[in-house]
Amino acid sequence: MKWKKKTDIYPSTIDYNVLLSVYGRLGRPRDAEQIVQRMIDRSQHLSVGRQCYPDLYSYNMLLDAWSRSHESSRGKRAEDILNYLGDHSECSFAPDKYTYMAAVSAVIHSGEKNVIQRVERLLEKAKSTEIDSDVFLESKLLDAYASCSSPGSASKAEKHLNTLQEKGIANAVSFNTVLKAWKASNDPDCQERAESVLRRMKELGFVNTISYSTLISTYAKKGDVDSAERADAMLSEMSAMGLAPNVWTLNGVMSAWVRCGQIRRAENILDNMEQGVYAGRGEDDRMGTVAPNVVSYTTLMNGWAKSKDPKSSEKTLDVFRRMVQVYNDGNTLAQPNLFSFVTLIDSIVRSKTKRAAEKAESVLFEMYDEYKDGNLDVKPNAKLVSIVIECWQKSGENDAGERAEALLNWLIDVNEVEKDGEFMPNEFTFTSTISAWAKTRKFGKAAKARSILLKMTEMQETGVIWSKP
């Protein structure tokens, strides 16, 4: 039998693009850039029929990866890639609408400087290349305005919305984005301007649950009873229009009541959610009854933690236990997160009650145990540990020095094991521990304080920590 000679198999551009699309969805731009560079390098050494140069889809997926990433330089890098495509004549393709949309998204979500001006330049460049302007591309400028709370941004967003409406391409998303811009605005008339936008939406038939939720959040910012009453009234108005609230709608009303100090009114809403009173959409977008999530409970916890109620700490703890029970009963959306635990510790520290530091420390260790068990949402950090150490320092307890130092040593050990900058002790951690020793009446406290200072100096000199004594 005569065997055929084995033929070398070379991956094609399509093969590479499949991998690039995966990296795009995952927001892994560095991996995507390596693939694009590999395509270029391989093609330079292959015959024409076997080359696999990146095409427009390749670069669009690379830009998609940058737009979905969390890197601080994503906006600048996306602009560089877009400029490369426009400046290199050897490219057999020109950027299309998706190219610009991905680049603009990267700039908007980057948090870098001059976002609005940069987005405006990119959209002008798109128009100059005869790319058809549609609602999706035009709405990106609305997104830029909504992401920036600088003075006048919301007014510019509404002005651009008017332009879109004149062109006949404004839709519910466009209007909701302008509502979002007014929610982020610090203008004194932001509520009235948001209400005006909602009235226009009603006339056009664009209003939906998202519209009301955004307006309610705008009311919640104000922090007065009148605004909370208006937020609450929106629930009745939604019902009259046949619109179902979701958990974020109800959380917004809770926040409005909490911010004006009417915590019992917020608690009534949470009670109703637990009892299945509200018919609406769950977080899976299915109709049913609206169940509370972790934000619902943490909102109420935050209200009690910051209240002047003499039992505020106990009431905060009660809400926390209630949340844990609901989660254990099967509501996975109510799983406590970092903000829940931080709010609980904050309430304990604020209470200044006997053994408050011990209770706060117990919660801290519970957080770390849960984090090690796989709940990454409750990962503690050095700042939180420092707050608990400061609580020991202010406690007046006889063993405050020992307990503060033990907690400092625990943090040093965790930092060594985890090798994570978030666990790195800082200047505040050490000074609070030293102060805890200084305030005790124990013999040898000066020597103890001195030894902690020397430890800090040694760790800084050896590069274990950054803070200088």
Side-chain angles (χ1 to χ4, degrees), residues 333-359:
L333 300 176
Q335 183 177 23
N337 60 18
L338 176 64
F339 298 105
S340 313
F341 278 100
V342 169
T343 302
L344 180 57
I345 289 176
D346 179 58
S347 73
I348 295 171
V349 171
R350 284 170 178 264
S351 71
K352 299 180 181 179
T353 55
K354 187 175 177 63
R355 308 309 293 176
E358 186 175 356
K359 293 175 184 177

Side-chain angles (χ1 to χ4, degrees), residues 128-321:
S128 69
T129 56
E130 299 183 351
I131 290 177
D132 290 336
S133 177
D134 64 7
V135 65
F136 298 106
L137 192 57
E138 291 280 2
S139 292
K140 285 298 178 182
L141 185 55
L142 291 178
D143 290 336
Y145 289 133
S147 69
C148 181
S149 59
S150 60
S153 295
S155 293
K156 291 179 181 178
E158 190 166 348
K159 183 178 180 181
H160 187 58
L161 175 65
N162 296 337
T163 302
L164 298 187
Q165 195 171 0
E166 290 171 2
K167 292 181 178 179
I169 58 175
N171 59 18
V173 175
S174 312
F175 277 89
N176 281 335
T177 304
V178 175
L179 280 175
K180 182 181 175 183
W182 281 118
K183 184 185 80 169
S185 171
N186 292 318
D187 289 3
D189 61 344
C190 61
Q191 287 186 3
E192 290 73 19
R193 296 294 294 271
E195 288 172 340
S196 173
V197 173
L198 189 77
R199 284 194 294 271
R200 290 170 61 184
M201 295 182 74
K202 289 179 185 177
E203 294 171 0
L204 295 167
F206 286 157
V207 70
N208 55 27
T209 299
I210 295 174
S211 316
Y212 275 99
S213 299
T214 307
L215 180 58
I216 286 170
S217 295
T218 308
Y219 289 140
K221 282 177 52 182
K222 194 78 176 287
D224 59 51
V225 175
D226 180 61
S227 296
E229 292 281 5
R230 292 161 80 179
D232 203 72
M234 289 296 104
L235 291 179
S236 300
E237 187 173 311
M238 288 179 69
S239 178
M241 294 188 65
L243 291 173
N246 58 28
V247 68
W248 301 109
T249 317
L250 297 169
N251 286 348
V253 181
M254 284 186 65
S255 179
W257 285 121
V258 163
R259 284 173 178 264
C260 70
Q262 300 289 319
I263 304 172
R264 291 293 183 189
R265 295 289 297 268
E267 192 160 26
N268 288 339
I269 296 173
L270 181 62
D271 292 341
N272 289 337
M273 279 199 277
E274 288 184 338
Q275 294 164 17
V277 169
Y278 300 106
R281 295 188 180 277
E283 291 202 13
D284 58 0
D285 206 35
R286 294 181 181 179
M287 284 301 296
T289 58
V290 182
N293 62 11
V294 60
V295 177
S296 314
Y297 289 99
T298 305
T299 298
L300 187 57
M301 287 176 62
N302 189 51
W304 284 122
K306 294 180 178 178
S307 75
K308 296 180 180 179
D309 190 295
K311 294 186 177 180
S312 61
S313 180
E314 291 92 330
K315 290 177 178 178
T316 305
L317 179 58
D318 287 343
V319 179
F320 181 82
R321 287 172 175 165

